[in-house]
């Protein structure tokens, strides 16, 4: 099967938007049990329909309030139906237990609040106007104890109890939120408040911690500093790159950072343009409130149990690690995993596999000449994580590739039954094959030099003469006749299994060389029709069974303050889904159709599979031309086994209604028939008929081989009629079913 890559960054952005619309860094952590009614499409649609038009005689403020509520509800619905929200899992259960302790005495308030964990590596929590309290995995990964977490939850409950969403709108409706469509943080902007309301929420949280009797508020004092430094990784531990190398191999000094960028965050910053008071002011106000308060100082930091807190945090941190991989923040993933392994005395194959995958991905991007796409700007990296970023910035393509093979091979020998580790090892070898242009002789030649190893103990080194010390150090630092990378590669020289695996992968790569299509990046300026020609528009995949995701559809009105046409978006999603089901029946295509529109409460597995596949596709498309194995391949293999097919079809539809016709153009259209009367019907039609642009994209993925098998693009003018939509869907599935 031919492997194809999307050549235009525009398409990647568009497809990523639709494949994980409003995604917050989803990872493999899954919800458990049946779908809560609150997360079903029918319930969310009923919630949206509550916000009726204000009427002909409504004031500007009333109209604005209806729009504000509708947009809030729409983006909340998108979030709740995205699969990024967790329910029934250990993290969400833990959060609910904390809320139970905080407001146990207020049954009415407790019944009004629904708590969810949200897959988002950014530390945050927010409460919606109708009582949905979301806590990010990123926040759970950062707090130090349960009491700190309880303060954050109490703060958000304060926003709800004080009706702050409506209060903020009333205070500033003229500058009401203009949502940035598709922004990763757009829904967060809907729940930002003024300093006055934030101060009030802090006061509410302080009083609630005290009045609940469940917590000692002194144990939460450091939460403000936790928030101040939450942009940093989990901990501050000096990074030693030798931890990634085989024993006895030493790096040249140029590969080790001599200094790091200092942490710049301060607590007394200028908050004049911030929605929150600065950290120093919040901390001082909190401490002042505790001075004369009475509370039980014997209550522990984590009343629900220290073991449970750390277990939940461990889950959250692993979730953030996966999020780092999915978002291609590989150096941060390595450092966060490094921090976690530094804490634990037992080697965790799960954490080590994250490091192995991230090193492999960095090597692949370096070999492809695309490392700048995933490398952060060193000037922006603060604290000890600078060391890992500096190291990978300095090493060469060969060094990165040799390190990936070495690290993953060592893991494979230790955990040979771990399929993800085995895949990382084999994929690292593929990258090495690519680097050496599939020439086994070059691979052997690179290992010819006998490496110098650090075999002396500290005492033996001290016993050397001054000159011998200098000579020994220079040998270890690569200042003699060999590079440190030879030391890494030398261990492969007599390893029969590794050499055999290399030969197998090299031979397989030679056989499949013709299956790859290289798209020059200069193609990004091409039109969609030209892109279709490059990608060989007419496909013949010969597939009769696949998992099909419900089509993502968005309708935008150009020139509007709020461009999203919510009503039409919901209507067309259902309409196109029904058309696809009709096409399946007519063509006898065996489709495992996953659609939130159809999910019932007992469709929990379908809900989880839908969420997983959207994330899988998003990561797959993000790699572009760089050949990297998938960070969630183990989960993909399980899904293939469950459905009996590796193929996934993902249709995307964007409809844009062009700007309303200007007065000059409208007048010209109406006057033109006076000169040429026979054009009157056409002119009147053109003047009063809105113009639409449509783009229908169909992706087909192979989960087994991490391939984008098909990118079919149909671009046309005009509204989405039933007949035209049917024709496009028929054409797409003809190409999928038709064999060569």
């Amino acid at each position: 099967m031919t492997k194809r890559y999307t050549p235009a960054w525009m398409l990647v952005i568009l497809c990523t938007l639709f494949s994980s619309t409003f995604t917050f860094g989803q990872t493999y952590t899954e919800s458990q049990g049946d779908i809560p009614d609150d997360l079903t499409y029918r319930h969310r649609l009923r919630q949206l329909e509550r916000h009726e038009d204000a009427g002909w005689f409504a004031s500007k403020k009333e109209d604005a309030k209806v729009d504000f509520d509708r947009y809030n509800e729409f983006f909340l619905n998108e979030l709740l139906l995205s699969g990024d929200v967790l329910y029934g899992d250990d993290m969400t259960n833990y959060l609910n237990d904390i809320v139970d302790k905080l407001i146990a005495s207020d049954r009415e308030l407790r019944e009004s609040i629904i708590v969810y964990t949200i897959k988002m590596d950014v530390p945050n929590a927010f409460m919606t106007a109708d009582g949905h309290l979301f806590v990010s995995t990123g926040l759970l990964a950062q707090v130090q104890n349960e009491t700190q977490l309880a303060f954050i939850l109490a703060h958000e409950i304060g926003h709800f109890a004080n009706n702050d969403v409506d209060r903020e709108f009333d205070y500033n409706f003229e500058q009401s939120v203009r949502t940035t469509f598709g922004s990763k943080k757009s829904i967060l902007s809907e729940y930002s408040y003024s300093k006055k309301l934030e101060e009030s929420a802090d006061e509410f949280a302080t009083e609630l911690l005290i009045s609940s009797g469940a917590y000692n508020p002194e144990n939460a004092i450091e939460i403000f500093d936790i928030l101040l430094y939450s942009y940093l990784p989990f901990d501050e531990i000096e990074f030693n790159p030798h931890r990634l190398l085989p024993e006895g191999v030493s790096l040249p000094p140029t590969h080790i950072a001599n200094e790091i960028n200092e942490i710049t965050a301060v607590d007394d910053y200028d908050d004049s343009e911030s929605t929150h008071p600065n950290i120093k002011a919040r901390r001082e106000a909190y401490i002042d409130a505790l001075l004369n308060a009475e509370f039980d100082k014997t209550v522990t930091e984590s009343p629900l149990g220290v073991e449970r807190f750390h277990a939940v945090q461990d889950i959250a941190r692993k979730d953030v690690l996966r999020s780092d991989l999915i978002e291609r923040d590989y150096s941060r993933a390595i450092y966060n995993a490094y921090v976690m392994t530094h804490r634990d005395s037992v080697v965790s194959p799960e954490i080590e596999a994250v490091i192995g995958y991230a090193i492999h991905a960095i090597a692949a991007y370096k070999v492809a000449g695309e490392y700048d796409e995933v490398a952060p700007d060193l000037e922006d990296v603060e604290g000890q994580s600078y060391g890992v970023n500096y190291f990978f910035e300095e090493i060469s393509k060969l060094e990165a590739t040799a390190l990936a093979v070495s690290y993953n091979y060592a893991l494979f020998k230790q955990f040979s039954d771990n399929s993800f580790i085995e895949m990382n090892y084999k994929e690292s070898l593929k990258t090495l094959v690519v680097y050496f242009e599939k020439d086994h002789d070059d691979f052997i030649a690179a290992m010819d030099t006998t490496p110098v190893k650090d075999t002396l103990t500290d005492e033996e080194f001290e016993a050397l003469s001054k000159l011998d010390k200098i000579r020994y150090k220079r040998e270890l630092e690569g200042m003699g006749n060999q590079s440190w990378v030879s030391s890494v590669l030398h261990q492969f020289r007599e390893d029969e299994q590794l050499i055999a695996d290399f030969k197998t992968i090299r031979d397989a790569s030679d056989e499949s060389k013709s299956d790859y299509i290289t798209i020059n990046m200069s193609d990004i300026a091409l039109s969609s029709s030209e892109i279709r020609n490059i990608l060989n528009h007419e496909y013949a995949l010969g597939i009769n069974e696949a998992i099909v995701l419900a089509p993502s559809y968005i309708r935008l009105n150009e020139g509007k303050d709020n461009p999203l046409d919510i009503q039409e978006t919901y209507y067309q999603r259902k309409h196109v889904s029904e058309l696809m089901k009709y096409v399946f029946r007519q063509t006898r295509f065996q489709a495992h159709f996953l659609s939130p529109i159809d999910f019932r409460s007992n469709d929990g597995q379908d809900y989880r599979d839908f969420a997983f596949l959207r994330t899988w596709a998003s990561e797959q498309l993000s790699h572009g031309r760089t050949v990297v194995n998938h960070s969630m391949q183990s989960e993909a293999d399980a899904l293939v086994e469950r459905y009996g097919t590796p193929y996934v079809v993902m249709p995307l539809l964007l409809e844009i209604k062009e700007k309303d016709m200007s007065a000059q153009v409208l007048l010209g259209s109406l006057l033109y028939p006076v000169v040429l009367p026979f054009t009157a019907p056409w002119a009147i039609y053109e003047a009063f008929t809105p113009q639409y642009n449509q783009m229908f994209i169909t992706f087909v993925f192979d989960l087994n081989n991490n391939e984008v098998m098909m990118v079919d693009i149909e671009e046309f003018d005009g509204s989405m009629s039933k007949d035209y939509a049917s024709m496009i869907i028929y054409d797409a599935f003809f190409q999928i079913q038709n064999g060569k």
Side-chain angles (χ1 to χ4, degrees):
M1 200 65 68
T2 302
K3 194 166 189 174
R4 309 176 192 279
Y5 299 98
T6 308
W9 66 268
M10 176 273 294
L11 285 179
V12 173
I13 292 174
L14 179 64
C15 299
T16 302
L17 166 66
F18 280 115
S19 64
S20 57
T21 308
F22 317 111
T23 281
F24 291 79
Q26 186 174 317
T27 63
Y28 74 112
T29 304
E30 289 188 331
S31 298
Q32 301 296 324
D34 290 345
I35 307 173
D37 182 64
D38 192 53
L39 298 187
T40 61
Y41 183 87
R42 286 168 176 77
H43 179 82
R44 300 315 315 165
L45 194 57
R46 288 196 300 269
Q47 294 298 105
L48 186 65
E49 290 171 349
R50 293 182 308 154
H51 306 291
E52 300 178 353
D53 291 334
W56 286 97
F57 302 104
S59 66
K60 180 180 179 181
K61 180 177 180 179
E62 289 171 331
D63 282 336
K65 184 63 167 64
V66 170
D67 284 344
F68 180 77
D69 289 341
R70 280 179 174 173
Y71 271 77
N72 280 351
E73 193 67 47
F74 176 81
F75 286 107
L76 174 61
N77 289 358
E78 293 298 289
L79 176 61
L80 289 170
L81 298 174
S82 69
D84 297 340
V85 172
L86 293 172
Y87 63 86
D89 63 292
D90 290 342
M91 290 181 289
T92 303
N93 292 339
Y94 184 60
L95 293 171
N96 273 288
D97 288 347
I98 295 174
V99 173
D100 288 342
K101 291 177 74 68
L102 284 170
I103 52 177
S105 61
D106 193 335
R107 183 175 180 180
E108 182 179 357
L109 178 61
R110 182 63 186 96
E111 291 178 350
S112 301
I113 295 174
I114 305 172
V115 187
Y116 293 116
T117 306
I118 181 172
K119 298 177 179 182
M120 179 171 67
D121 55 0
V122 178
N124 214 315
F126 59 97
M127 172 74 82
T128 68
D130 59 354
H132 290 86
L133 200 171
F134 297 96
V135 179
S136 73
T137 50
L139 180 63
L140 286 166
Q142 292 278 354
V143 294
Q144 296 175 325
N145 59 55
E146 180 187 319
T147 308
Q148 293 175 359
L149 186 55
F151 176 83
I152 296 293
L153 298 178
H155 175 98
E156 297 305 326
I157 293 171
H159 282 309
F160 177 72
N162 295 333
N163 198 24
D164 282 347
V165 173
D166 288 339
R167 289 173 66 195
E168 182 69 4
F169 175 83
D170 291 339
Y171 175 75
N172 197 25
F173 84 93
E174 289 292 350
Q175 289 81 37
S176 60
V177 176
R178 301 302 186 195
T179 301
T180 302
F181 172 69
S183 168
K184 189 176 182 181
K185 299 177 183 177
S186 60
I187 195 168
L188 299 183
S189 68
E190 300 290 345
Y191 299 103
S192 298
Y193 307 102
S194 67
K195 288 188 189 66
K196 184 177 181 180
L197 298 184
E198 292 295 346
E199 291 170 351
S200 177
D202 275 354
E203 293 171 3
F204 182 97
T206 306
E207 294 172 3
L208 187 56
L209 280 183
I210 295 171
S211 63
S212 70
Y215 294 96
N216 173 3
E218 289 182 343
N219 294 328
I221 290 176
E222 289 191 345
I223 185 58
F224 302 102
D225 294 291
I226 295 294
L227 297 176
L228 177 65
Y229 300 117
S230 63
Y231 66 96
L232 297 170
F234 301 151
D235 203 345
E236 279 292 291
I237 297 174
E238 183 178 357
F239 174 72
N240 181 4
H242 287 95
R243 154 74 169 77
L244 308 178
L245 302 178
E247 186 177 356
V249 175
S250 294
L251 291 169
T254 55
H255 286 17
I256 302 175
N258 293 324
E259 56 185 23
I260 63 174
N261 293 336
E262 294 299 320
I263 297 171
T264 59
V266 294
D267 61 357
D268 196 17
Y269 54 86
D270 180 6
D271 59 7
S272 59
E273 296 184 3
S274 173
T275 59
H276 288 67
N278 69 40
I279 292 297
K280 182 180 179 182
R282 294 182 70 186
R283 186 197 307 114
E284 290 178 349
Y286 183 74
I287 293 174
D288 287 344
L290 300 185
L291 291 178
N292 298 316
E294 294 183 3
F295 48 86
D296 186 355
K297 295 186 178 183
T298 65
V299 178
T300 62
E301 291 182 337
S302 300
L304 290 174
V306 175
E307 296 80 6
R308 187 179 180 190
F309 169 78
H310 286 302
V312 167
Q313 185 169 75
D314 190 62
I315 296 171
R317 288 186 169 185
K318 289 177 180 177
D319 196 90
V320 170
L321 287 182
R322 272 301 176 94
S323 179
D324 288 339
L325 297 183
I326 292 169
E327 295 179 2
R328 303 188 301 167
D329 197 346
Y330 300 122
S331 55
R332 188 179 179 93
I334 291 171
Y335 185 78
N336 274 330
Y338 178 84
V339 166
M340 294 181 71
T341 58
H342 191 273
R343 178 200 65 190
D344 299 331
S345 56
V346 180
V347 176
S348 165
E350 185 179 4
I351 305 301
E352 294 293 337
V354 169
I355 297 176
Y357 175 86
I359 297 174
H360 152 64
I362 288 173
Y365 273 91
K366 279 185 173 282
V367 170
E370 304 288 345
Y371 181 62
D372 286 347
E373 287 190 11
V374 298
D377 189 334
L378 284 178
E379 294 182 358
D380 297 332
V381 181
E382 298 178 4
Q384 294 295 338
S385 64
Y386 179 90
V388 68
N389 286 277
Y390 178 88
F391 171 70
F392 283 106
E393 186 74 32
E394 287 296 313
I395 64 176
S396 66
K397 297 177 184 178
L398 173 59
E399 290 170 333
T401 307
L403 178 60
V405 174
S406 171
Y407 193 89
N408 285 302
Y409 183 52
L411 284 182
F412 175 62
K413 289 193 294 184
Q414 187 175 2
F415 305 105
S416 58
D417 59 343
N418 187 303
S419 61
F420 185 53
I421 287 175
E422 180 181 7
M423 181 183 66
N424 291 339
Y425 158 57
K426 297 292 179 63
E427 292 296 325
S428 296
L429 275 180
K430 286 183 183 179
T431 304
L432 191 61
V433 167
V434 172
Y435 179 83
F436 284 113
E437 298 179 341
K438 308 174 183 62
D439 191 328
H440 180 61
D441 294 335
D442 283 349
F443 176 71
I444 297 298
M447 301 184 293
D448 272 349
T449 306
T450 301
V452 177
K453 294 185 178 181
D454 186 3
T455 58
L456 299 182
T457 64
D458 291 342
E459 293 77 12
E460 290 171 335
F461 177 78
E462 290 301 324
L464 296 176
S465 68
K466 175 181 176 181
L467 293 179
D468 286 341
K469 285 179 181 176
I470 293 173
R471 293 190 186 103
Y472 187 75
K473 276 191 171 183
R474 285 186 173 180
E475 286 181 331
L476 294 182
E477 292 170 354
M479 297 176 68
N481 295 324
Q482 71 148 62
S483 165
W484 71 274
V485 73
S486 296
S487 298
V488 176
L489 290 174
H490 184 76
Q491 64 175 302
F492 306 158
R493 189 172 185 177
E494 297 179 357
D495 194 307
E496 295 182 0
Q497 179 181 354
L498 194 149
I499 295 298
D501 290 341
F502 180 87
K503 288 180 178 179
T504 300
I505 290 172
R506 180 204 59 187
D507 295 342
S509 179
D510 286 339
E511 293 175 3
S512 62
K513 185 175 180 180
S514 60
D515 287 344
Y516 288 81
I517 295 177
T518 301
I519 303 297
N520 193 296
M521 289 307 289
S522 62
D523 295 332
I524 63 174
L526 298 178
S527 68
S528 57
S529 60
E530 292 171 316
I531 292 170
R532 288 200 301 271
N533 291 333
I534 291 176
L535 292 176
N536 185 14
H537 177 57
E538 293 300 326
Y539 294 85
L541 303 184
I543 297 172
N544 291 302
E545 180 181 7
I547 305 165
V548 182
L549 302 190
S552 294
Y553 174 91
I554 293 292
R555 165 79 168 272
L556 301 176
N557 292 326
E558 278 190 343
K560 300 290 187 181
D561 289 336
N562 292 316
L564 181 61
D565 188 332
I566 295 174
Q567 183 175 357
E568 190 67 16
T569 292
Y570 274 104
Y571 169 76
Q572 289 289 8
R573 283 181 182 177
K574 185 174 182 179
H575 173 64
V576 177
S577 292
E578 292 303 319
L579 284 177
M580 291 188 71
K581 293 177 185 178
Y582 175 78
V583 171
F584 299 154
R585 292 193 296 269
Q586 294 297 311
T587 60
R588 297 183 180 180
F589 185 84
Q590 189 172 347
H592 304 276
F593 194 58
L594 299 179
S595 170
I597 296 175
D598 299 329
F599 290 163
R600 302 294 192 274
S601 61
N602 60 350
D603 292 327
Q605 188 60 60
D606 289 347
Y607 173 92
R608 294 186 284 274
D609 291 343
F610 176 80
F612 169 80
L613 287 170
R614 283 158 54 103
T615 306
W616 187 97
S618 179
E619 181 184 352
Q620 181 67 27
L621 292 171
S622 71
H623 290 306
R625 298 187 307 162
T626 303
V627 182
V628 184
N629 62 297
H630 211 288
S631 71
M632 297 186 291
Q633 191 58 46
S634 299
E635 293 80 10
D637 292 342
L639 190 142
V640 170
E641 184 175 353
R642 185 157 56 250
Y643 286 91
T645 177
Y647 305 115
V648 178
V649 179
M650 186 176 71
L652 318 169
L653 178 59
L654 176 66
E655 182 174 6
I656 301 177
K657 179 182 177 183
E658 294 181 349
K659 293 181 181 179
D660 293 335
M661 191 174 293
S662 66
Q664 293 88 341
V665 175
L666 179 60
L667 182 61
S669 298
L670 295 179
L671 289 178
Y672 191 64
V674 176
V675 182
L676 298 174
F678 64 86
T679 66
W682 173 86
I684 293 172
Y685 176 81
E686 286 294 313
F688 292 100
T689 302
Q691 301 300 307
Y692 297 91
N693 290 322
Q694 309 265 0
M695 181 176 286
F696 195 101
I697 307 174
T698 305
F699 283 94
V700 178
F701 300 101
D702 182 346
L703 295 176
N704 281 340
N705 299 313
N706 294 326
E707 289 185 4
V708 183
M709 301 175 65
M710 172 173 158
V711 185
D712 182 58
I713 307 168
E714 296 291 344
E715 188 176 8
F716 57 95
D717 296 328
S719 185
M720 176 60 74
S721 68
K722 179 178 179 180
D723 291 340
Y724 204 92
S726 298
M727 182 181 71
I728 292 174
I729 296 171
Y730 266 113
D731 177 66
F733 279 89
F734 176 79
Q735 295 180 72
I736 294 171
Q737 284 186 279
N738 186 37
K740 293 182 179 179

